[in-house]
Amino acid sequence: MLKEIKLEEINNYKDSISLFKSHGIALATSNEGKTNGLTIGWGGLGVLWRKPCATIYIHKTRFSKGIFDNSEYFSINFFEGHEEQLDYFGKVSGRDEDKIANSKLEVEVDNAPYFKDAKLVIICKKMGQTDFDLDRVYEDNIISWYNESGVHTIYLGEIVKVLENK
Ligand SMILES: Cc1cc2nc3c(=O)[nH]c(=O)nc-3n(C[C@H](O)[C@H](O)[C@H](O)COP(=O)(O)O)c2cc1C
């Protein structure tokens, strides 16, 4: 069962890089009756404007982007197992299917929807967002990819609650 833990207890997961690399991760948010989740691989935890902060990146082609642009809160859900559902959330678009219903994962809401089966859940309140400025990206392969398909939006969320399945 998920229980609230102190922010510092995230340190039991070593560091942000290990946390993101060693779990399957899904984001979830909702706005105006639309709820959606997507698998992510990129992100980090740190401090911004004196607040504990999580950073995530959503590509402009994702159905989720429209919902994230307009929602106030989102959740970052770190899973151990559940590969099938994470694969589904990473392949299928919420434009075509109600992914959360089809995944059969149980969802609760604490400002943002989150998954009850996740090992760790971080609830974030959006502090800001910005798109990558292509003139300021210095990786050639990323520039050509972004030229073809568009950039990611960077979302910055204040960490307001952390829940853990013990
Ligand atoms: C392992 C994995 C990691 C992913 N990481 C990201 C990510 O960090 N940002 C992103 O925008 N899409 C990422 N994706 C792709 C989205 O999950 C995928 O395009 C999804 O279908 C989008 O769903 P939506 O259209 O319902 O938003 C990842 C997919 C997988 C399988």
Side-chain angles (χ1 to χ4, degrees), residues 36 39-41 57-59 62-64 89-90 92-94 99:
N36 196 41
T39 302
I40 60 150
Y57 307 86
I58 301 183
H59 195 260
R62 314 292 184 236
F63 176 68
S64 301
F89 275 108
V92 173
S93 176
K99 291 198 276 185

Side-chain angles (χ1 to χ4, degrees), residues 28-73:
T29 194
S30 62
N31 180 249
E32 290 180 351
K34 276 188 254 169
T35 299
N36 196 41
L38 80 159
T39 302
I40 60 150
W42 303 349
L45 306 177
V47 180
L48 176 69
W49 304 325
R50 298 188 187 164
K51 291 174 174 173
C53 170
T55 309
I56 50 142
Y57 307 86
I58 301 183
H59 195 260
K60 63 184 296 177
T61 52
R62 314 292 184 236
F63 176 68
S64 301
K65 173 155 168 59
I67 309 178
F68 271 78
D69 283 349
N70 295 302
S71 63
E72 215 184 329
Y73 290 84

Side-chain angles (χ1 to χ4, degrees), residues 66-117:
I67 309 178
F68 271 78
D69 283 349
N70 295 302
S71 63
E72 215 184 329
Y73 290 84
F74 61 87
S75 69
I76 311 176
N77 302 265
F78 297 86
F79 286 92
E80 288 173 352
H82 297 279
E83 284 89 4
E84 206 177 301
Q85 285 101 331
L86 287 161
D87 200 44
Y88 174 64
F89 275 108
K91 271 196 190 141
V92 173
S93 176
R95 269 184 216 101
D96 306 316
E97 295 182 21
D98 181 343
K99 291 198 276 185
I100 290 189
N102 290 349
S103 74
K104 300 203 165 59
L105 287 176
E106 269 189 80
V107 170
E108 288 207 351
V109 178
D110 185 328
N111 287 303
Y114 65 89
F115 297 106
K116 272 177 81 177
D117 289 328

